[in-house]
Amino acid sequence: HVQLVESGGGSVEAGGSLRLSCATNAAVFSDDCFAWFRQIPGREREGVASISIGNGLTDYVDSVKGRFTISLDKRTVYLQMNSLRPEDTAVYYCKVERFGFRYWGQGTQVTVS
């Protein structure tokens, strides 16, 4: 089965940066779509960024455009987060959609103060 392991979370002051990593346990396929979601306390889980492997197209929620960048290197998907704001505080989850199935990581905490 597909496994995703997130890492790179932590605490940072407003304006700082973090890079989240999502490591997969298997090959990445051209039809894969990877995404980062976040769960802000008291809110529903929301999509933050996504990348379609085959064409490299990326998409971002408006609140992170220009600040976050999603990318892929081999079997690891990254989320570079710059100019972090307190409202970015959340548990961040990696997700991959493969052949109609969705797989989730366990999440990594990001705290911005």
Side-chain angles (χ1 to χ4, degrees), residues 18-31:
L18 287 172
R19 189 179 74 164
L20 306 183
S21 298
C22 173
T24 72
N25 69 333
V28 175
F29 296 92
S30 61
D31 289 340

Side-chain angles (χ1 to χ4, degrees), residues 34-36 49-51 58 60 68-72 77-80:
F34 283 85
W36 286 96
S50 65
I51 181 169
T58 58
Y60 302 90
F68 291 10
T69 303
I70 187 171
S71 62
L72 171 71
V77 176
Y78 300 96
L79 185 67
Q80 178 67 46

Side-chain angles (χ1 to χ4, degrees), residues 11-65:
S11 298
V12 64
E13 294 184 355
S17 298
L18 287 172
R19 189 179 74 164
L20 306 183
S21 298
C22 173
T24 72
N25 69 333
V28 175
F29 296 92
S30 61
D31 289 340
D32 286 351
C33 182
F34 283 85
W36 286 96
F37 284 70
R38 66 186 178 188
Q39 182 75 55
I40 297 174
R43 300 184 182 183
E44 297 180 355
R45 186 175 297 185
E46 65 175 349
V48 177
S50 65
I51 181 169
S52 297
I53 304 305
N55 54 27
L57 291 177
T58 58
D59 194 23
Y60 302 90
V61 67
D62 286 345
S63 61
V64 309
K65 288 181 178 178

Side-chain angles (χ1 to χ4, degrees), residues 66-86:
R67 301 189 297 120
F68 291 10
T69 303
I70 187 171
S71 62
L72 171 71
D73 181 20
K74 295 182 174 65
R75 294 183 179 183
T76 303
V77 176
Y78 300 96
L79 185 67
Q80 178 67 46
M81 306 186 295
N82 299 326
S83 302
L84 284 163
R85 306 165 180 170

